Amino acid sequence: MKRMFRVITTVAIATVMLASTVQAGELVFGHGANPGNPRYDAAEMFGQLMTACSPETVVKVAPSATMGDDSEMLTSAQAGIIQMSANSQGPMAQIVPEIGMLGLPFLFKDLPNVWNVLDGEIGGMLDKKANEAGLKIITFWDNGFRQTTHTKKFVDSLDAIKGMMIRTPPDEVTTDIFKSLGATPAPLAWSELPTALQAGTFEGQENPLTNIYSAKIHTITPYITMTDHKYESTPVVASLMWWQSLSAKEQACVVSSAKQAGWYQRGRSYVDSMSLKKVMENEGAQFKSIDKKVFQKATESVYAKYGEKYGSFIDTLRKSAAAN
């Protein structure tokens, strides 16, 4: 109830603010990333590309969750309060559950494998589902493969991870993965995570290295276990009512700008996934790998659970992942 009140309050405040500032031809592009994160830089690039393609459009990029957290920005986009958001897979899965299936454990081989899948049939299927909820998926940026960090130890075995109080995004698949591994997961907004870790509310968290580094989470949880347990996308979404109000030329500008900025963002994510380890080691972080076969076997129950709900979609998704 408190959560719902918070969402409604945030949307109401945003409505009042934007009613006095947003004019015809303006595009508010909200996201939750801080400076240094590839998502932040890609959002700035999107603004520049969009203005170059459509000079009559004034793009206002709102970073660092200034328009609310990811869930609140999706609510605002559905209501037409903001026009676009580079969002997160977990909150989107609360609206389009099939998007959460992209995070099934150990589904993809590598990042190019993921991009081929999302830019094909699967991406189109997810967009149609989003349309039913008042959103338009423009493209998918990257949020990488996720690693597990802890304040005091590595979690490179099932015994080590058992009982771990771990923060996750508001994503049911992620919480199910960690439950199957024996941990005790709980969701929390990304913007609140550093404080919660420092307070001892959580022993650790899971995120791609780019997010861990840009938010300096490795300085709080320096033990980083390279679990690669799941992938998460960054769906770039638009208000469907706003999208449908655009001309064909304006729509083409939105798509081309988002995809061009997305290839920059994907490239940064790919390079960072390989280069940040050394950078973080120099800043005091430590790394360890896992026996993936052990973790894969432990998480088989996650596939069984969601296979009952989304069997045909999961079959298509797995075939696409295997073929690309």
Side-chain angles (χ1 to χ4, degrees):
M1 196 71 175
K2 290 182 178 179
R3 170 68 177 174
M4 181 61 69
F5 177 77
R6 181 184 173 197
V7 170
I8 293 172
T9 301
T10 301
V11 171
I13 292 172
T15 303
V16 172
M17 292 172 60
L18 286 169
S20 61
T21 59
V22 174
Q23 302 172 6
E26 289 188 344
L27 191 172
V28 177
F29 188 103
H31 66 87
N34 297 319
N37 188 292
R39 188 186 307 189
Y40 182 100
D41 294 335
E44 296 296 319
M45 181 179 288
F46 168 82
Q48 295 170 4
L49 290 168
M50 184 65 196
T51 300
C53 185
S54 178
E56 64 275 13
T57 302
V58 177
V59 181
K60 294 186 176 181
V61 178
S64 306
T66 53
M67 295 304 300
D69 65 24
D70 285 327
S71 294
E72 292 163 346
M73 282 188 282
L74 289 174
T75 301
S76 294
Q78 287 175 302
I81 295 167
I82 66 172
Q83 287 69 48
M84 292 182 65
S85 174
N87 215 267
S88 296
Q89 186 168 298
M92 269 295 290
Q94 295 180 333
I95 298 171
V96 182
E98 287 84 354
I99 286 181
M101 301 306 102
L102 299 175
L104 286 168
F106 308 103
L107 174 63
F108 298 105
K109 295 186 290 289
D110 52 31
L111 289 177
N113 176 220
V114 176
W115 303 335
N116 285 333
V117 170
L118 291 180
D119 291 343
E121 177 186 10
I122 292 297
M125 293 172 68
L126 293 174
D127 179 40
K128 288 181 180 178
K129 293 287 185 181
N131 292 171
E132 296 171 5
L135 295 170
K136 167 71 179 176
I137 297 176
I138 305 299
T139 189
F140 287 91
W141 292 357
D142 195 73
N143 204 15
F145 289 97
R146 300 174 80 86
Q147 320 303 339
T148 307
T149 73
H150 198 288
T151 55
K152 297 179 180 178
K153 65 179 183 180
F154 293 112
V155 288
D156 56 328
S157 69
L158 299 182
D159 285 340
I161 204 170
K162 186 176 182 180
M164 176 185 177
M165 293 293 298
I166 182 169
R167 176 269 177 187
T168 66
D171 173 58
E172 190 177 359
V173 174
T174 306
T175 58
D176 285 337
I177 288 173
F178 281 94
K179 286 178 182 177
S180 72
L181 294 172
T184 304
L188 182 74
W190 170 246
S191 59
E192 300 173 20
L193 177 57
T195 301
L197 288 169
Q198 291 169 331
T201 305
F202 294 99
E203 297 173 81
Q205 60 85 53
E206 52 84 56
N207 256 289
L209 294 185
T210 51
N211 289 0
I212 293 168
Y213 182 73
S214 64
K216 303 302 179 186
I217 299 298
H218 64 294
T219 64
I220 309 170
T221 58
Y223 293 89
I224 302 175
T225 306
M226 299 294 286
T227 46
D228 282 327
H229 51 277
K230 66 170 292 189
Y231 170 82
E232 284 215 358
S233 65
T234 294
V236 178
V237 301
S239 162
L240 184 62
M241 67 176 74
W242 170 75
W243 172 259
Q244 292 173 338
S245 74
L246 300 178
S247 67
K249 177 184 179 296
E250 290 169 331
Q251 289 182 348
C253 284
V254 171
V255 171
S256 64
S257 299
K259 287 189 173 182
Q260 289 179 68
W263 279 115
Y264 164 79
Q265 193 269 351
R266 287 176 174 184
R268 274 278 306 278
S269 179
Y270 187 71
V271 171
D272 287 355
S273 70
M274 296 183 289
S275 64
L276 276 178
K277 185 176 178 181
K278 184 64 177 177
V279 174
M280 294 165 76
E281 283 177 334
N282 291 338
E283 296 183 8
Q286 301 179 54
F287 291 82
K288 199 167 185 179
S289 299
I290 62 168
D291 183 340
K292 285 190 178 180
K293 290 184 178 179
V294 173
F295 279 63
Q296 284 175 319
K297 184 173 180 59
T299 55
E300 287 176 355
S301 61
V302 179
Y303 280 90
K305 174 182 176 179
Y306 290 99
E308 296 178 3
K309 294 182 179 180
Y310 311 107
S312 61
F313 177 79
I314 291 174
D315 288 344
T316 303
L317 176 60
R318 297 183 81 169
K319 287 177 183 176
S320 181
N324 285 284

